[in-house]
Amino acid sequence: MTENAQQQPPEPENELPTQYAPADVEGPLYERWVERGYFAADAKSDKPAYTIVIPPPNVTGSLHLGHAFQHTLMDALTRRKRMQGYESLWLPGMDHAGIATQNKVEQQLAEEGKSRQDLGREAFVERVWQWKEEYGGKILGQMRRLGDGVDWDRERFTMDEGLSKAVQTIFKKLYEDELIYRAERIINWCPRCLTAISDIEVEYQEDDGELVSITYGEGDETLVVATTRAETMLGDTAVAVHPDDERYKHLVGKRIKLPLTDRSIPVVADTHVDPAFGTGAVKVTPAHDPNDFAIGRRHGLESITVMDERAVITVHGPFQGLDRFEARSAIVAALRSQGRIVAEKRPYVHSVGHCSRCRTTVEPRLSMQWWVKVGPLAKAAGDAVRDGRVKIHPEDMSKRYFDWVDNMHDWCISRQLWWGHRIPVWYGPDGEVVCVGPDEEPPTGEGWHQDTDVLDTWFSSGLWPFSTLGWPEQTEDLRKFYPTDVLLTGHDIIFFWVARMMMSGLYAMDGEAPFKTIALTGLVRDERGKKMSKSFGNVVDPLDWMDKYGSDAVRFTLARGANPGTDVPIGEDWVQASRNFANKIWNATRFALMNGATVEGPLPAPEELSATDRWILSRLNKTVAEVDAFYDDFQFAKLSDALYHFAWDEVFDWYVELSKTTFQAGGAAAEASKRVLGEVLDVTLKLLHPVVPFVTDTLWTTLTGGESVVVADWPADSGFRDAGAEREIETLQSVITEVRRFRADQGLQPGQRVPARLTLDGTALAPHEAAIRQLLRLQPEGDSFTATATLPIAGAEVALDLSGTIDVAAERKRLAKDLAAAEKEKAQATAKLGNEAFLGKAPENVVDKIRTRLAKAEEDITRLRAQLDRLPPQ
């Protein structure tokens, strides 16, 4: 907390408005938190550190429900730890998002009739920086709307000076350790973005294509191969068969004619080929398929590139200059005219890779690129989890992590873009290659030039947990806040980001992992569990819901659905219910304030308290312990549900209602209950605060006069338990619930008053007669009282006079009709279930439905007979 924050007086209001208006509260309250420095972490503090690394959103991005979901959980963790006395750091920032940002600016240029080539590299990069300043970072303002308690003074950007220095430093270190190299390999190429993209930036979807079977060779020396990419046959340099396939042993080692060309290609034997798939023979195009590239390496085959960077055919006259898809149709037509097409399947649905940024079909392409040798880095990342230095939560997600790090291929880190961290390598006129660190001068002179590629965005974001704290300098922040405590992120980016950070952190920080726990969440889906997608029309802008229901309502809904590693369905009805919960908290606190609830002075001793007071304090402490355990296990759904039911069901619906009679009676008991109610609300608001920060801070400061619940102490379980009081109030609840149910069954209105005689002597209910009468709308029996219905409950007896409140004859007739229908339903279901012929033929789900009907009918019969028995005689 800053000095100004300590000196500034609290600003509680004297009373609360009748209704909670989130729009009037949230914005000004958030700015007050920031101005007072509540979220600023002090590296010089003696408090223990607690650090959470934020997945840096793209500079091009805006807040979507996935962001809102994870940010809510991260904010809850850091707010709680701050209240527990930790120096809590949640550091914000953005990723430069190489391809996405470059695409945005190129689109802007296209509208002006220009391209990046028209500007040149330097001017284009300057234009991107201008775009970033003008349009980028929209999401940062939206994070404020959500209530993110981040340290804005430490905001970072992956292209800022400090992070750029970190990128250059680790690149050179990896290069000198021979963990970075340059080589020609097959990569995923986007013909629209004109850059390599990594495997994890390729999204696969089922597309309609075609499968054609083509005859290769002449005469007796022919084979049939099947392909979905006929255009690549122009680059074939072999046909491969399995070594044990008897059908083709006579051809292995021979050369056969490649159709449409003047080349002959060898038939090779390779165990990669599945003899049971298709014809058992596959075309080999080493320059345009990763598996074929591997076969080509094993057999010393030539790699022939047949397309340029825009996927336009560059070889063989008739097809040269055609787009790959145009060439596919033209080549198939040419082969058909020669009688070489022996089978065609169209449409042929198969999985096709697309660029995750622009949706263009990805082209495997042989290309010279920069690579990270991931073997030793990935092993270290796996070992850190296996030996317990890093915990993955939930634990069953560890398998997905190991499946990735244990089988990771070398990482292509170069991108053919202009926006990003440029590869810090210079080439000389005589083939020299020099890697330049951040504090070194690059070589100059005629013929020297820097590599034109930039680094994969994930290369710099992989350094985020330590580069944001000042690495490679040994800063106070780095010493205080590294390693971070928790990485909370979606299970879908284990491969993108989590593994990258593990590898980079362990390598750069001398074996110290970047976080102690990896807490994996699911993904947000719509209320039917369907993935949110623009094409499905079910995407929700969380800002719309915040405008309508308040940020607290959105946050609580998201947290209440957050089971570890499990997807989160969410619908507007649930957000509306959370808004109702916020209103319930508001109204209950208003009632408490109007009735003198206070936090002043110590709690009365247990012997000075009523059973109702001791019951709620016992339940309060159990809830504190329960919530703490759920937080430590990242069980956000369970802790939110526990708080919801404690606050709404026990505090607001029972304790507040039971206290009304005490307050009306006045005296010492009322004064004690006012202090207990103040205590319960104080603690409940603190427990709720990390998830619903706005309404709780407004209410807490008004209730307590304190500065802010943001910097209040987290509640501790005092250890107080009173099993006897809990049993007593549970008995009271059962009586009230049972009589309410009977009243409803008789058609009485909730507010309708009924004469009653209560026989409570000798039971634990005796002290609660006034509360029972008030909550059940039971008036004194009077001189003309006639007990027309008697309810024996929990050793007590509640006798009601219903003679003037219901038409007994009509009610008996209605119940008798319902009973007859239930008995008929039971008879029919029993007959079917007793019919062996029916049971032998009917599907299991049909039989289950009849069993359910029978159980429901039996339940209805029991209930209706009891209601008839309770009616007064006619």
Side-chain angles (χ1 to χ4, degrees):
M1 200 190 320
T2 65
E3 185 178 346
N4 287 339
Q6 292 174 332
Q7 293 176 349
Q8 192 166 351
E11 301 175 10
E13 299 177 11
N14 292 327
E15 60 182 30
L16 293 170
T18 55
Q19 291 185 324
Y20 178 49
D24 296 339
V25 170
E26 293 175 351
L29 183 54
Y30 185 84
E31 293 309 316
R32 192 184 309 159
W33 292 336
V34 174
E35 288 166 8
R36 292 179 176 181
Y38 293 157
F39 308 137
D42 183 1
K44 296 179 181 179
S45 166
D46 292 333
K47 297 177 183 178
Y50 183 82
T51 316
I52 284 190
V53 58
I54 192 172
N58 286 353
V59 67
T60 60
S62 59
L63 190 75
H64 56 64
L65 269 176
H67 288 129
F69 170 55
Q70 292 181 357
H71 284 216
T72 293
L73 306 188
M74 286 184 278
D75 194 34
L77 289 173
T78 50
R79 284 178 182 270
R80 172 176 174 256
K81 285 295 183 180
R82 188 178 293 113
M83 295 173 74
Q84 287 182 316
Y86 286 78
E87 198 62 41
S88 192
L89 171 61
W90 187 22
L91 190 148
M94 292 183 299
D95 190 276
H96 65 279
I99 295 176
T101 309
Q102 180 156 318
N103 282 349
K104 287 278 187 184
V105 178
E106 288 197 80
Q107 289 166 12
Q108 197 177 65
L109 287 173
E111 292 170 3
E112 301 170 12
K114 298 176 184 177
S115 69
R116 60 172 160 140
Q117 285 76 17
D118 293 330
L119 270 66
R121 183 167 193 145
E122 188 175 331
F124 176 78
V125 170
E126 180 58 35
R127 178 71 176 260
V128 180
W129 277 108
Q130 291 172 7
W131 182 93
K132 184 255 181 187
E133 294 304 318
E134 187 171 354
Y135 301 105
K138 175 179 168 184
I139 193 171
L140 298 178
Q142 295 168 340
M143 286 163 58
R144 300 171 92 95
R145 281 285 314 276
L146 187 65
D148 282 9
V150 295
D151 187 344
W152 291 109
D153 293 337
R154 282 183 167 85
E155 181 190 332
R156 304 305 298 269
F157 179 55
T158 50
M159 288 279 286
D160 70 24
E161 184 178 352
L163 272 66
S164 296
K165 181 177 181 179
V167 168
Q168 282 185 270
T169 300
I170 201 165
F171 185 98
K172 178 157 187 178
K173 180 174 169 59
L174 288 164
Y175 181 83
E176 291 179 344
D177 287 346
E178 298 183 349
L179 293 172
I180 281 183
Y181 64 95
R182 194 169 184 243
E184 193 174 41
R185 300 274 181 84
I186 291 283
I187 47 87
N188 303 298
W189 181 265
C190 176
R192 157 63 186 79
C193 298
L194 299 180
T195 181
I197 58 176
S198 66
D199 291 344
I200 48 183
E201 291 170 305
V202 177
E203 293 182 355
Y204 288 89
Q205 66 185 47
E206 298 295 308
D207 285 358
D208 287 346
E210 60 182 358
L211 180 69
V212 294
S213 298
I214 309 166
T215 301
Y216 280 32
E218 302 288 352
D220 294 334
E221 297 181 347
T222 61
L223 295 141
V224 174
V225 301
T227 182
T228 58
R229 304 178 69 227
E231 69 279 8
T232 65
M233 69 167 291
L234 302 175
D236 286 359
T237 56
V239 173
V241 298
H242 194 276
D244 300 331
D245 195 332
E246 294 293 336
R247 293 171 294 177
Y248 303 118
K249 278 195 173 182
H250 68 290
L251 291 177
V252 173
K254 293 186 178 182
R255 300 184 73 85
I256 60 174
K257 172 76 173 175
L258 177 65
L260 304 182
T261 73
D262 57 2
R263 293 190 292 117
S264 64
I265 57 177
V267 178
V268 299
D270 196 282
T271 55
H272 172 76
V273 179
D274 180 359
F277 183 76
T279 64
V282 298
K283 59 192 287 298
V284 181
T285 321
H288 291 278
D289 182 275
N291 293 321
D292 293 3
F293 179 78
I295 293 173
R297 282 287 184 91
R298 288 194 289 272
H299 297 277
L301 302 175
E302 183 184 4
S303 295
I304 300 174
T305 299
V306 299
M307 294 179 218
D308 67 10
E309 60 184 9
R310 297 183 185 275
V312 172
I313 302 298
T314 58
V315 298
H316 201 70
F319 312 109
Q320 193 167 357
L322 294 179
D323 171 80
R324 55 184 165 163
F325 301 121
E326 296 171 336
R328 181 178 300 172
S329 299
I331 287 170
V332 170
L335 290 166
R336 191 183 299 115
S337 70
Q338 293 183 6
R340 289 188 174 274
I341 302 293
V342 297
E344 296 181 66
K345 186 174 182 181
R346 196 181 287 110
Y348 177 72
V349 179
H350 62 136
S351 182
V352 177
H354 295 261
C355 173
S356 62
R357 299 296 180 190
C358 69
R359 315 305 307 160
T360 301
T361 300
V362 167
E363 188 64 41
R365 187 168 189 255
L366 186 62
S367 179
M368 183 67 76
Q369 301 286 344
W370 285 94
W371 303 81
V372 172
K373 188 185 295 182
V374 299
L377 303 174
K379 182 182 183 304
D383 289 346
V385 175
R386 286 189 170 96
D387 65 24
R389 280 175 287 158
V390 177
K391 305 288 186 186
I392 291 181
H393 193 280
E395 191 176 350
D396 58 12
M397 283 284 178
S398 298
K399 183 180 183 302
R400 296 186 65 181
Y401 176 82
F402 292 132
D403 285 346
W404 180 253
V405 298
D406 293 347
N407 300 287
M408 195 182 297
H409 300 297
D410 283 2
W411 172 19
C412 177
I413 56 171
S414 45
R415 299 291 180 266
Q416 289 64 55
L417 304 171
W418 287 356
W419 172 245
H421 294 101
R422 196 163 171 183
I423 303 279
V425 171
W426 271 254
Y427 305 103
D430 299 318
E432 301 96 332
V433 179
V434 177
C435 181
V436 177
D439 300 318
E440 299 170 349
E441 290 295 325
T444 57
E446 187 175 348
W448 281 94
H449 64 280
Q450 186 177 359
D451 195 300
T452 57
D453 289 352
V454 301
L455 287 162
D456 177 11
T457 297
W458 297 102
F459 188 89
S460 52
S461 60
L463 316 182
W464 189 258
F466 52 94
S467 63
T468 53
L469 298 174
W471 188 89
E473 306 302 327
Q474 294 303 306
T475 63
E476 285 186 330
D477 277 1
L478 194 63
R479 287 190 291 271
K480 178 75 173 178
F481 298 113
Y482 188 93
T484 67
D485 288 86
V486 177
L487 171 69
L488 189 143
T489 192
H491 61 65
D492 58 323
I493 61 169
I494 291 177
F495 325 118
F496 282 96
W497 194 46
V498 178
R500 307 287 191 237
M501 286 189 291
M502 285 288 284
M503 292 191 300
S504 298
L506 288 160
Y507 175 73
M509 300 300 293
D510 299 321
E512 194 168 23
F515 15 75
K516 299 164 189 171
T517 301
I518 300 168
L520 297 169
T521 71
L523 309 179
V524 179
R525 296 181 177 270
D526 71 12
E527 63 266 37
R528 296 177 183 85
K530 194 173 184 180
K531 181 180 178 181
M532 288 194 175
S533 165
K534 290 180 181 178
S535 60
F536 296 153
N538 62 350
V539 173
V540 172
D541 184 345
L543 295 169
D544 291 341
W545 281 352
M546 288 185 213
D547 289 341
K548 195 170 182 180
Y549 302 110
S551 297
D552 283 335
V554 174
R555 290 171 62 115
F556 192 72
T557 305
L558 290 165
R560 205 172 177 195
N563 290 297
T566 304
D567 288 350
V568 183
I570 184 172
E572 187 167 2
D573 288 350
W574 305 337
V575 184
Q576 187 172 355
S578 295
R579 188 271 313 273
N580 295 343
F581 180 50
N583 288 342
K584 186 79 170 180
I585 303 168
W586 185 271
N587 292 333
T589 307
R590 283 191 76 245
F591 166 84
L593 290 168
M594 290 165 58
N595 284 275
T598 180
V599 296
E600 296 296 324
L603 280 170
E607 58 271 16
E608 298 173 19
L609 297 175
S610 68
T612 307
D613 290 335
R614 286 182 278 113
W615 161 73
I616 197 62
L617 289 175
S618 183
R619 290 294 306 127
L620 177 68
N621 279 287
K622 283 185 178 179
T623 302
V624 170
E626 192 176 31
V627 167
D628 277 333
F630 286 144
Y631 261 116
D632 292 341
D633 199 34
F634 304 100
Q635 297 281 359
F636 295 98
K638 290 182 178 179
L639 72 89
S640 299
D641 213 46
L643 284 169
Y644 176 88
H645 287 294
F646 174 71
W648 192 308
D649 299 347
E650 298 187 90
V651 179
F652 306 149
D653 277 0
W654 283 108
Y655 183 69
V656 166
E657 292 301 315
L658 291 169
S659 297
K660 287 180 179 178
T661 54
T662 307
F663 293 154
Q664 288 170 1
E671 294 306 309
S673 289
K674 290 175 184 178
R675 179 63 188 90
V676 170
L677 180 55
E679 180 75 11
V680 170
L681 287 174
D682 176 17
V683 172
T684 302
L685 292 171
K686 287 175 179 175
L687 292 174
L688 283 165
H689 172 73
V691 179
V692 283
F694 294 105
V695 67
T696 52
D697 195 39
T698 304
L699 295 174
W700 187 87
T701 52
T702 307
L703 173 72
T704 68
E707 181 183 344
S708 172
V709 72
V710 178
V711 290
D713 291 336
W714 182 254
D717 174 10
S718 71
F720 176 76
R721 302 288 191 274
D722 192 323
E726 290 196 40
R727 286 193 299 271
E728 182 173 325
I729 302 305
E730 284 169 9
T731 302
L732 174 62
Q733 290 170 329
S734 69
V735 170
I736 291 172
T737 301
E738 185 63 26
V739 176
R740 280 175 173 168
R741 185 181 296 118
F742 176 77
R743 287 176 56 108
D745 287 344
Q746 306 309 315
L748 297 176
Q749 295 300 313
Q752 190 172 351
R753 302 193 71 80
V754 178
R757 180 174 64 234
L758 304 183
T759 306
L760 308 176
D761 291 346
T763 73
L765 298 172
H768 303 287
E769 179 169 353
I772 292 171
R773 285 190 177 278
Q774 180 162 317
L775 292 176
L776 292 173
R777 304 293 190 269
L778 303 179
Q779 63 192 40
E781 52 195 274
D783 295 336
S784 60
F785 178 83
T786 302
T788 58
T790 302
L791 307 177
I793 310 168
E797 186 177 272
V798 179
L800 304 175
D801 184 353
L802 304 179
S803 56
T805 57
I806 61 172
D807 184 334
V808 176
E811 186 64 14
R812 188 175 291 280
K813 184 177 180 181
R814 181 184 71 81
L815 291 172
K817 181 180 178 182
D818 291 347
L819 178 60
E823 288 173 334
K824 181 180 179 181
E825 175 74 3
K826 177 184 176 181
Q828 290 174 341
T830 301
K832 284 190 174 182
L833 292 173
N835 186 333
E836 293 297 331
F838 169 77
L839 293 176
K841 295 178 181 178
E844 186 61 31
N845 65 317
V846 172
V847 176
D848 285 343
K849 284 182 180 178
I850 295 172
R851 290 193 183 108
T852 301
R853 283 169 48 195
L854 175 60
K856 176 67 166 55
E858 289 174 337
E859 181 183 313
D860 288 345
I861 290 168
T862 300
R863 175 177 56 82
L864 291 165
R865 284 175 176 169
Q867 288 178 230
L868 279 165
D869 290 344
R870 288 170 176 170
L871 283 175
Q874 291 178 258

